[in-house]
Amino acid sequence: MGRQPCCDKLVVKKGPWTAEEDKKLISFILTNGHCCWRALPKLAGLRRCGKSCRLRWTNYLRPDLKRGLLSHDEEQLVIDLHARLGNKWSKIASRLPGRTDNEIKNHWNTHIKKKLVNMGIDPVTHHPLNQEPNNTENPKNISSTSDNTSKEPRSSTTTKETNGTTTEDESSSTVTGQNSSTDNNILSNIYNDEELFSYLWSEETTNAEASWSDSNYGLSGTSYHNDNNISGAGSDFPIWSPEGINGKEWTFLDYCQDFGVHDFGF
DNA sequence: AACGAGCGCAACCGCGGCGAG
DNA sequence: TCTCGCCGCGGTTGCGCTCGT
């Protein structure tokens, strides 16, 4: 007996989401939470597959998402985590608050991969491309700060831009202490191998996860601060839909205003 | 100015894990 | 213990934008 399709493929809409659909989804989730993705589209009045709704929400609509390119430090962390975890994008993403697995995966495939290859590093094994993996060493060795005895280029040094745009020398300190943001405090801590491993495998959720595990999705102030100001919009709110809606830059606040701030708990 | 190639990102697809019954 | 169904993950696709010619 075959498994039932998750949705009626003849009825559900596919393709890019419209602003109207976004509004419905956000409004519903902020009001009711997402108890069951399968049932959500019907309840929210959407002609979408529940899976599609979940994807749209987690990858794009969640207000705690950072928008824009990954910072240099985030990129470093992604490389380091990838060396240890492989293509476990969700696990990697869980260590970068405000970033999604899809976003990290895309960034890896489009930017970091090429960068590593240009540096002569195999993006899969994190070994030099012209050098066979000489033993069954733990991939930890590749990027760990404490393993400086290794003669191999460490992955943490590989993201140094060859085009000269990034000149900081990370040969020994990687990202430690380069700025005072909270993220970097975390980074500097976890670049110690022991701490990193306990950090990686700890059961505790990240701030982001904790923020949005609550079905009510209360909008705490700190959840919306865009510390890195990556968006460049000059707002404390993350970019809401930078390119998605008629090419207009919308902040989350704009969006809230558009269909009722009270809906968002302001 | 027009066109084509390349790139980046949002979205889809299919599978595996896991919990409930 | 087994089956069923939902959720989440990783891989892939396709569209729109940008840049070079």
Side-chain angles (χ1 to χ4, degrees):
Chain A
M1 182 168 62
R3 188 173 150 178
Q4 274 190 330
C6 69
C7 47
D8 187 343
K9 294 188 187 302
L10 294 177
V11 173
V12 297
K13 184 184 170 204
K14 297 200 311 191
W17 280 65
T18 64
E20 189 61 33
E21 289 175 312
D22 284 344
K23 285 181 185 178
K24 282 185 181 177
L25 181 59
I26 294 162
S27 180
F28 183 84
I29 291 180
L30 291 180
T31 305
N32 305 293
H34 54 76
C35 58
C36 173
W37 288 113
R38 187 181 166 86
L40 188 146
K42 189 172 285 184
L43 295 171
L46 289 163
R47 286 177 54 209
R48 290 276 181 176
C49 175
K51 209 176 196 179
S52 181
C53 294
R54 179 176 56 78
L55 213 59
R56 182 66 178 170
W57 174 255
T58 56
N59 286 338
Y60 203 80
L61 297 177
R62 266 169 44 199
D64 63 328
L65 289 179
K66 293 178 188 173
R67 309 298 305 180
L69 288 173
L70 270 71
S71 67
H72 180 73
D73 290 344
E74 287 175 315
E75 209 170 78
Q76 289 289 148
L77 183 56
V78 169
I79 293 168
D80 200 54
L81 291 171
H82 186 271
R84 297 160 187 276
L85 301 172
N87 294 355
K88 302 294 180 187
W89 304 116
S90 61
K91 282 191 168 49
I92 294 171
S94 71
R95 304 304 162 190
L96 284 97
R99 300 294 186 183
T100 69
D101 55 351
N102 206 35
E103 189 177 11
I104 292 170
K105 181 173 60 184
N106 283 334
H107 190 77
W108 177 270
N109 287 328
T110 57
H111 294 101
I112 302 177
K113 217 173 180 178
K114 288 176 194 167
K115 206 179 276 186
L116 290 180
V117 169
N118 286 339
M119 297 294 294
I121 304 293
D122 186 335
V124 178
T125 64
H126 293 253
H127 288 283
L129 282 167
N130 59 355
Q131 181 179 326
E132 291 294 321
N134 52 5
N135 56 31
T136 57
E137 68 180 330
N138 187 327
K140 272 179 68 175
N141 294 342
I142 297 167
S143 57
S144 81
T145 305
S146 60
D147 289 335
N148 284 341
T149 53
S150 170
K151 294 290 185 284
E152 293 179 351
R154 288 168 36 238
S155 66
S156 59
T157 67
T158 58
T159 56
K160 186 159 69 176
E161 296 283 346
T162 53
N163 61 15
T165 57
T166 302
T167 58
E168 60 195 58
D169 182 3
E170 297 146 15
S171 59
S172 60
S173 63
T174 64
V175 297
T176 303
Q178 291 185 359
N179 65 47
S180 58
S181 72
T182 304
D183 282 354
N184 284 342
N185 288 337
I186 296 171
L187 285 171
S188 61
N189 287 337
I190 66 174
Y191 267 85
N192 174 293
D193 272 359
E194 297 301 322
E195 292 179 33
L196 175 58
F197 252 83
S198 60
Y199 181 78
L200 287 175
W201 300 110
S202 66
E203 291 299 314
E204 68 177 19
T205 55
T206 64
N207 290 340
E209 286 167 335
S211 297
W212 292 95
S213 60
D214 184 332
S215 63
N216 288 324
Y217 296 106
L219 302 183
S220 67
T222 53
S223 297
Y224 286 86
H225 278 292
N226 186 1
D227 290 333
N228 296 338
N229 207 13
I230 292 170
S231 68
S235 167
D236 275 345
F237 292 87
I239 282 294
W240 181 237
S241 182
E243 297 91 22
I245 303 172
N246 301 329
K248 177 188 175 184
E249 280 204 350
W250 282 31
T251 64
F252 181 63
L253 191 54
D254 289 335
Y255 213 102
C256 296
Q257 289 170 339
D258 191 56
F259 66 101
V261 171
H262 64 277
D263 286 337
F264 293 84
F266 289 132

